[in-house]
Amino acid sequence: GNSGWNLQEHAETKQQHWRLHGKPIIDLVWNAKERGAVLSFDYEGTFLALTYYQYKAGSNAGSIKIEIDGGVNEVIKAEGEQTWGGLHKTEIIGPELPAGKHKARIELINKGNDSNGSVGFDIIAVGHGLKK
């Protein structure tokens, strides 16, 4: 399910930062800018990995809440402590889940604003698998 998340080119791609030989390394990201936007999906495995863009300190970037099977809750903030710029980070959510099918729900719980306008949250990739 999707309510309020859009596939779009990331600002870093537009500014030539995420390019190799003139081509984008990452074409599109899932972006949400409005509080309450929800992205939900089913997956199979024992964990979920989420790669996102973490903006520099002071950017007032957004935060998301991730729920797995309605129980595992984790909040991820897209504003880091680094002052030199942004980076992509990966977080493992629910690493001790039983093997099998699970339901993930990602909600933008607040949005940020900086001098360039709304920042929100950018998801670069989502992966899942079995812990060995």
Side-chain angles (χ1 to χ4, degrees):
N2 180 4
S3 174
W5 288 84
N6 300 293
L7 273 174
Q8 66 182 40
E9 185 179 46
H10 189 272
E12 293 297 315
T13 302
K14 291 177 185 175
Q15 296 176 18
Q16 308 294 318
H17 296 161
W18 286 0
R19 294 188 178 263
L20 182 63
H21 305 295
K23 295 183 180 179
I25 296 170
I26 299 169
D27 286 325
L28 302 172
V29 296
W30 281 102
N31 175 271
K33 293 180 179 167
E34 296 301 323
R35 184 178 185 176
V38 174
L39 188 62
S40 60
F41 53 89
D42 296 336
Y43 73 95
E44 200 164 336
T46 57
F47 70 90
L48 184 72
L50 180 84
T51 302
Y52 63 100
Y53 189 77
Q54 187 177 68
Y55 291 85
K56 68 181 179 178
S59 63
N60 194 25
S63 299
I64 58 170
K65 178 174 74 170
I66 302 170
E67 295 177 359
I68 299 177
D69 298 334
V72 175
N73 287 311
E74 185 161 335
V75 173
I76 296 176
K77 188 175 180 183
E79 179 181 333
E81 296 177 6
Q82 73 279 3
T83 58
W84 46 264
L87 56 103
H88 66 275
K89 289 190 76 173
T90 300
E91 301 283 344
I92 305 294
I93 294 89
E96 301 298 326
L97 295 170
K101 294 181 180 182
H102 300 282
K103 293 186 178 295
R105 183 179 187 277
I106 301 171
E107 179 180 355
L108 184 65
I109 55 176
N110 69 354
K111 68 175 187 174
N113 290 294
D114 67 4
S115 60
N116 297 323
S118 182
V119 175
F121 199 96
D122 296 318
I123 297 174
I124 298 168
V126 176
H128 56 90
L130 296 172
K131 181 180 177 186
K132 294 188 178 201

